[in-house]
Amino acid sequence: MKLKSVFSIIFLMFFVFGCKISSQPIVFHKSHEVKKQDAPFSDAVESNGFLFLSGQLGLDHKTRTLVEGGIEAETRQCIENIKFVLEHHQLSLDNVVKCTVILRSMDDFAIFNEIYKDYFPNKPARTTFAASGLALNASIEIEVIASR
């Protein structure tokens, strides 16, 4: 009986101390763009080794306007914007583990997918859907989660 009690106590100690999750502070990063530093959201939030990026559009960040050329040009610019934010945080597209893609129209899916494959050969997990009314009447918005 004493042996059972000792094993129970040892098991309980391993369970209590072994289940502690080491938590790092959550970091709400200021935008790398001066014009966006007063926005009501963060471009990137870091927590426990993951970097969560807010959705990116196909914006030319110098002019703050959508690039011309429809879904193809916007997709390329959108992913280049993601690359820039990741690089700002010492990461790359290879660190992306999850993408959420919002298209204005599912008719653009095949064109988008051809461009996407060139940028994400590692094939991160992905969700793609269509929604009307994207900001600035954009054709596409992509948000990603990257791992350090």
Side-chain angles (χ1 to χ4, degrees):
M1 190 62 136
K2 285 184 179 183
L3 190 58
K4 272 188 175 181
S5 296
V6 170
F7 280 128
S8 296
I9 292 171
I10 291 172
F11 175 77
L12 185 59
M13 287 176 58
F14 276 115
F15 181 76
V16 169
F17 293 110
C19 289
K20 279 196 169 183
I21 298 172
S22 74
S23 180
Q24 300 169 354
I26 298 172
V27 180
F28 297 89
H29 292 282
K30 287 187 176 183
S31 178
H32 61 283
E33 293 183 66
V34 176
K35 292 181 180 179
K36 286 179 65 181
Q37 290 187 354
D38 288 332
F41 59 89
S42 297
D43 277 349
V45 176
E46 195 162 352
S47 178
N48 290 319
F50 289 97
L51 190 68
F52 299 82
L53 270 61
S54 291
Q56 292 286 326
L57 303 175
L59 279 179
D60 177 332
H61 288 280
K62 293 177 185 145
T63 65
R64 301 292 304 153
T65 59
L66 286 173
V67 295
E68 293 184 15
I71 187 64
E72 290 181 51
E74 286 185 48
T75 298
R76 290 184 201 290
Q77 184 65 50
C78 183
I79 297 172
E80 289 297 326
N81 293 345
I82 290 167
K83 269 178 58 176
F84 184 81
V85 175
L86 289 170
E87 287 170 0
H88 182 76
H89 295 280
Q90 293 77 48
L91 296 170
S92 72
L93 292 176
D94 289 337
N95 296 95
V96 172
V97 295
K98 174 72 167 96
C99 294
T100 302
V101 180
I102 308 158
L103 299 170
R104 180 172 46 197
S105 169
M106 287 308 287
D107 293 340
D108 294 332
F109 183 77
I111 295 168
F112 152 74
N113 226 18
E114 283 304 310
I115 297 164
Y116 177 91
K117 288 190 294 189
D118 291 338
Y119 284 95
F120 294 100
N122 290 342
K123 299 182 180 183
R126 188 179 89 188
T127 301
T128 305
F129 59 94
S132 62
L134 293 175
L136 302 177
N137 202 28
S139 299
I140 186 169
E141 182 170 351
I142 303 174
E143 69 174 30
V144 303
I145 301 170
S147 177
R148 289 216 177 266

